[in-house]
Amino acid sequence: MKRYGKYILILIPVIIFTAFIFLSGGNIVILPVQGLQRHFHPVDDELGAGKTSTIYDEKGNLVTMISRRVNVGDEIFTAGGKHYRVIKVDGNLATARDLGMDRQLMTYNELFSKMEIPAAAARNNHRPVAIYHTHSDESYLPSDGSASIPFRGGIFQVGDSYTYSLANDGARVLHDKTPHDPHDDNAYYRSRRTAVQLLQKNPIAIFDVHRDGVDDPEFYRRIVSNEQVAQMRFVVGRENPHMAANLDFAKRLMAYANKMHWPIAKDIFVAQGNYNQDLLPTALLIEAGTYTNSKEEAMRGIALLADAVPIILGITGPTSTPDAPEYEKPVTDPTARRTGVWSSLAWIVIITLIGGGLFVLISTGSYEKAKNQLSHFFGREMADIWEIKKNREK
């Protein structure tokens, strides 16, 4: 036991620190880092204004369009509850398999449809909502005269509309207008510093507001609540340990926003990326229309989305009780179901085993020696445990 004590002393802090990061609910500040994913594919998967990936189902029906690189395994959840997964990509054309109706989203749609929309109520949670813009150049061609205005894009005014509407609905808002130009593969690394600074103020959620690059303005344009608006799309990155929680947040928000203003939320796109969403389980990327919509359409659209945010986050509205139905609890309620906890625990175990194995391998200098030490260690530990058990029984 003493012989291997140094291994245990090293592994215990690793386990505790990893568990703290994954199970803290996102209230830990993680400094900007450059992960291995940068070496495997571009960090920023946007194609740019006017370049579009089109996704069809296996029968040739249009599923969606998006100005991002599409990868096998990407998923789409429609406002109506349908679930698709990309199975083939050929350039900017992709094929997605129809997986049927998503049970979780359909449950939220059904339950929210039966739930009374609460009137403005006293604020229950004083933590702020944070807003920033990774692509600070993004603009709207009809209103701004260009699809891109470096350092001062029209997207800032869309963020202002979101800020004003959230504040009007009872939320405290932090809108950071730090530019992160140029619009390149490192934009998310630069914006991560901004997100980390915002996290130091303990926000209840953090939104990265963008606009899409699809050419057709009618793809996002709708009449919603008697206003001509640009719809909102939510993008969730699947390369982070909070992905399940981020997706659950997106589903709840889409379902409740569409219950209030149908169909303000267009869909949820689950893409191969991170988008700094590992920083918080309630982090979300919003595409506010596309560059061929007018900026005013996007501003009106995101203002309607804002009506649902304080309720879903528990900032305003009735306070839920521990025995309340799950759908009535805001995602930030400590008694609510913690989506993704078991996957986080799995990550902890995997990271701990890999880290411990590498340490032993490096310290012994060879695979065979490491194997023998681990075998002796576990054999002796199991023998000690068995001996203790026998003594207790006696």
Side-chain angles (χ1 to χ4, degrees):
M1 183 73 175
K2 293 181 179 179
R3 181 181 177 186
Y4 297 98
K6 61 181 181 179
Y7 300 145
I8 298 174
L9 290 175
I10 289 175
L11 289 177
I12 287 176
V14 171
I15 295 171
I16 294 174
F17 180 72
T18 309
F20 181 60
I21 291 175
F22 282 90
L23 302 180
S24 63
N27 296 327
I28 179 172
V29 174
I30 303 174
L31 296 176
V33 294
Q34 292 190 354
L36 290 174
Q37 66 175 15
R38 181 184 179 189
H39 302 289
F40 295 111
H41 62 80
V43 174
D44 193 337
D45 60 359
E46 289 198 9
L47 295 174
K51 299 178 181 179
T52 303
S53 293
T54 305
I55 304 172
Y56 296 93
D57 66 15
E58 293 175 286
K59 297 179 180 179
N61 301 310
L62 178 66
V63 175
T64 195
M65 296 189 293
I66 191 168
S67 186
R68 291 181 182 275
R69 295 180 184 90
V70 173
N71 298 276
V72 172
D74 289 351
E75 297 177 272
I76 303 97
F77 296 86
T78 69
K82 297 203 73 172
H83 181 197
Y84 296 88
R85 181 177 292 122
V86 175
I87 59 172
K88 180 181 178 182
V89 177
D90 184 9
N92 288 342
L93 296 177
T95 303
R97 178 155 295 156
D98 185 346
L99 301 179
M101 304 302 288
D102 181 69
R103 182 179 301 177
Q104 185 182 30
L105 188 52
M106 288 300 295
T107 298
Y108 289 146
N109 285 338
E110 180 181 358
L111 294 175
F112 286 147
S113 69
K114 299 175 182 177
M115 181 178 171
E116 291 294 328
I117 297 176
R123 187 179 298 169
N124 298 323
N125 196 313
H126 294 271
R127 292 169 61 192
V129 174
I131 302 168
Y132 71 109
H133 308 274
T134 292
H135 295 146
S136 43
D137 67 309
E138 290 185 332
S139 301
Y140 296 84
L141 186 60
S143 303
D144 296 318
S146 175
S148 174
I149 304 175
F151 304 100
R152 52 184 182 87
I155 198 67
F156 285 144
Q157 284 74 58
V158 175
D160 286 337
S161 178
Y162 197 29
T163 299
Y164 175 81
S165 297
L166 285 169
N168 193 52
D169 288 330
R172 187 161 64 91
V173 188
L174 304 172
H175 184 196
D176 192 297
K177 296 184 180 180
T178 301
H180 305 108
D181 294 78
H183 192 140
D184 61 11
D185 284 352
N186 291 312
Y188 280 98
Y189 290 118
R190 290 189 291 272
S191 70
R192 188 176 181 87
R193 299 186 183 96
T194 297
V196 167
Q197 290 173 357
L198 288 168
L199 285 179
Q200 293 173 354
K201 299 177 182 178
N202 195 29
I204 196 168
I206 186 165
F207 295 95
D208 188 2
V209 179
H210 297 242
R211 59 102 181 101
D212 205 352
V214 174
D215 264 337
D216 184 5
E218 298 302 323
F219 184 68
Y220 278 95
R221 183 176 288 147
R222 294 290 186 280
I223 301 297
V224 179
S225 295
N226 298 318
E227 295 185 81
Q228 181 172 296
V229 304
Q231 288 178 296
M232 303 294 109
R233 162 180 276 154
F234 304 145
V235 179
V236 174
R238 56 188 171 98
E239 290 188 349
N240 81 84
H242 288 316
M243 182 265 184
N246 296 138
L247 180 57
D248 182 66
F249 176 43
K251 288 179 179 179
R252 292 191 189 216
L253 184 54
M254 180 167 74
Y256 196 68
N258 283 342
K259 182 255 194 304
M260 297 181 76
H261 303 290
W262 174 264
I264 190 59
K266 186 176 189 65
D267 58 28
I268 301 168
F269 192 86
V270 181
Q272 183 176 325
N274 179 296
Y275 313 118
N276 296 325
Q277 291 173 1
D278 61 302
L279 296 175
L280 203 65
T282 48
L284 198 57
L285 190 157
I286 299 176
E287 298 276 14
T290 186
Y291 82 106
T292 50
N293 290 124
S294 72
K295 182 168 59 183
E296 292 72 24
E297 288 175 322
M299 291 170 68
R300 290 192 293 268
I302 206 165
L304 293 181
L305 173 68
D307 289 342
V309 173
I311 305 299
I312 290 297
L313 292 174
I315 296 172
T316 59
T319 304
S320 64
T321 57
D323 58 346
E326 195 65 35
Y327 75 93
E328 289 185 359
K329 299 178 182 179
V331 292
T332 51
D333 188 324
T335 68
R337 181 184 69 249
R338 297 298 300 276
T339 304
V341 166
W342 289 110
S343 62
S344 295
L345 287 173
W347 275 99
I348 292 170
V349 173
I350 292 170
I351 291 172
T352 301
L353 291 175
I354 293 174
L358 288 174
F359 178 81
V360 175
L361 179 62
I362 293 170
S363 63
T364 57
S366 72
Y367 171 76
E368 287 299 325
K369 289 181 179 179
K371 180 180 177 181
N372 290 336
Q373 284 207 11
L374 288 173
S375 177
H376 291 158
F377 170 68
F378 286 111
R380 178 171 296 186
E381 290 304 308
M382 291 304 296
D384 289 346
I385 292 171
W386 183 252
E387 187 65 30
I388 292 171
K389 183 179 179 181
K390 286 171 62 178
N391 291 336
R392 284 181 178 175
E393 290 176 350
K394 291 179 181 179

